[in-house]
Amino acid sequence: MNNLRSKPLMLVLSSPSGAGKTTLSKKIQQSDSTFRISVSHTTRKPRPNEVDGVDYHFVSKDEFKILLKKDTFYEHSEIFGNYYGTSKTSVDEIVKKKFNVLFDIDWKGAKQLSDFDELNLLKIFILPPSKEELEKRLISRNQDGKDSIKKRLLAYSQDIKHANEYDHVITNDSVENCFNKILKIIKEYPNN
Ligand code: 5GP
């Protein structure tokens, strides 16, 4: 087990959809037991392999709006016609146990989290090697319909404009390389 930090680290991974961030997040949690992935709420329908409460808390749009009114979220964002949000309770529970938190969220969410001074944020932006490679990955992972892939590719050009708002930008040329670069960044991040 890696050592716990005196102040939990909030690792934010953002990327254009399909750049491999979810795989990387799971790999980080598996290799470093001090990390827990923050499970977001979403109004998106579950994919066949996804489990409620593990991959996301799946809620209806009405339920999400009620939660939003109750100030449930640290941040939220509308992405591809669905709402996504990080609940304060899920993060606070992880922090209470002194674990580090891993966020797989978009640049809009990362920006909102940056407004909380008390969060010990380390923000990493993952880039696919190219737009063509991203398209190939979106098609081969076979999780999204044609329309959804089109939307994700359109968002790509907008998303990458925000890479400069992050502490580090890494190209995901291979999962292993990218993963090792992230581990190195985490290791070098001061424990204060
Ligand atoms: P997907 O539908 O492919 O699981 O996720 C689509 C996008 O939503 C990804 O870029 C992912 O990082 C982002 N996302 C997932 N959960 C959250 C969240 O709680 N907040 C924000 N802002 N983005 C999220």
Side-chain angles (χ1 to χ4, degrees):
M1 162 130 179
N2 301 57
N3 290 333
L4 292 168
R5 290 167 180 264
S6 46
K7 187 170 182 198
L9 182 60
M10 308 270 159
L11 177 65
V12 176
L13 294 187
S14 301
S15 75
S17 175
K21 182 177 34 142
T22 307
T23 309
L24 286 164
S25 304
K26 290 188 176 156
K27 229 170 134 52
I28 292 167
Q29 180 170 267
Q30 278 159 12
S31 83
D32 184 336
S33 53
T34 65
F35 275 94
R36 293 289 179 274
I37 297 174
S38 152
V39 180
S40 299
H41 284 66
T42 185
T43 62
R44 169 169 75 59
K45 295 275 169 290
R47 295 178 180 132
N49 55 336
E50 287 179 328
V51 178
D52 187 29
V54 176
D55 297 286
Y56 280 106
H57 299 291
F58 294 99
V59 292
S60 68
K61 283 192 173 161
D62 284 343
E63 283 170 315
F64 194 96
K65 282 179 191 161
I66 292 169
L67 292 171
L68 196 55
K69 267 196 193 145
K70 288 185 183 161
D71 198 23
T72 305
F73 301 113
Y74 271 124
E75 63 76 31
H76 68 279
S77 183
E78 189 181 344
I79 307 165
F80 312 126
N82 280 302
Y83 300 119
Y84 294 79
T86 303
S87 86
K88 291 178 180 169
T89 336
S90 64
V91 175
D92 294 348
E93 272 173 15
I94 300 173
V95 171
K96 227 188 276 165
K97 293 178 194 149
K98 301 250 185 278
F99 288 117
N100 300 314
V101 191
L102 210 165
F103 299 90
D104 170 346
I105 60 176
D106 77 337
W107 63 267
K108 286 174 260 172
K111 216 169 189 171
Q112 291 166 53
L113 284 186
S114 304
D115 290 338
F116 291 90
D117 290 336
E118 69 272 25
L119 302 181
N120 193 17
L121 286 184
L122 170 60
K123 298 188 289 181
I124 302 179
F125 197 88
I126 316 282
L127 283 173
S130 65
K131 192 172 178 180
E132 291 67 35
E133 185 59 32
L134 179 71
E135 184 170 8
K136 269 194 219 155
R137 287 184 193 177
L138 285 170
I139 293 170
S140 70
R141 76 177 184 180
N142 206 17
Q143 284 178 347
D144 307 280
K146 269 191 184 155
D147 270 3
S148 174
I149 291 180
K150 223 174 171 180
K151 278 188 202 163
R152 284 162 201 264
L153 286 172
L154 273 176
Y156 165 84
S157 318
Q158 291 305 314
D159 289 345
I160 60 170
K161 285 186 189 157
H162 296 274
N164 62 357
E165 294 160 14
Y166 286 71
D167 302 306
H168 300 269
V169 181
I170 303 176
T171 301
N172 188 4
D173 46 359
S174 89
V175 174
E176 215 46 47
N177 267 349
C178 190
F179 171 64
N180 286 326
K181 283 181 191 164
I182 296 173
L183 288 191
K184 187 165 180 278
I185 291 169
I186 295 170
K187 213 170 154 199
E188 287 171 358
Y189 191 81
N191 181 8
N192 48 20

